[in-house]
Amino acid sequence: LTSNVCPLDSEIPNIENSIADPQPRVAALNTQIDILQTALANLVRDQDDLVAHAEQCRAVLAPIRHVPPGLVADIMRLVPCTRKIADKMIEQPPWILGPICRSWRETLLQCPLLW
């Protein structure tokens, strides 16, 4: 196989068998590869689900969730209404904090002093 010498007549059947025999084995290996790729995809999906669940749990335990709404409103009142950007004063009322999360939006809506 590694030379340019013509094979002997006695070697030709073995070489022909080598050509014919791998086809079923290759097909079987391809089937196994497909099965393993499907299993790997399922494991990756399971891993992604586990990571997403862990992040949701971390979010539930976030310290900001324990801050009372009244304190959040007080903090919002302290947010400056204007900000200097590129030598221009930009209006930035405290209610821009509403989109941060649902509880902040609810707090903002329940506190007319912030409007």
Side-chain angles (χ1 to χ4, degrees):
L1 295 176
T2 60
S3 72
N4 289 331
V5 177
C6 185
L8 300 173
D9 289 340
S10 62
E11 295 174 326
I12 292 176
N14 287 336
I15 294 171
E16 288 174 344
N17 286 340
S18 295
I19 293 170
D21 287 344
Q23 298 311 321
R25 179 74 176 133
V26 168
L29 289 173
N30 284 334
T31 301
Q32 286 181 331
I33 288 170
D34 290 342
I35 292 169
L36 292 172
Q37 285 177 332
T38 300
L40 179 60
N42 290 337
L43 288 173
V44 168
R45 190 170 36 256
D46 290 348
Q47 179 186 16
D48 291 344
D49 291 346
L50 184 60
V51 168
H53 180 71
E55 288 180 13
Q56 288 175 338
C57 290
R58 272 191 216 98
V60 167
L61 297 176
I64 192 66
R65 288 181 179 255
H66 301 287
V67 177
L71 183 56
V72 172
D74 290 342
I75 293 169
M76 288 180 175
R77 272 190 288 250
L78 296 174
V79 173
C81 290
T82 57
R83 200 167 128 190
K84 188 174 182 178
I85 299 176
D87 295 332
K88 293 182 182 179
M89 295 305 284
I90 306 295
E91 288 292 321
Q92 213 176 21
W95 45 264
I96 63 164
L97 301 174
I100 291 177
C101 68
R102 184 182 315 146
S103 66
W104 283 26
R105 183 172 41 257
E106 290 171 0
T107 299
L108 181 69
L109 294 173
Q110 293 172 2
C111 187
L113 292 174
L114 295 172
W115 302 350

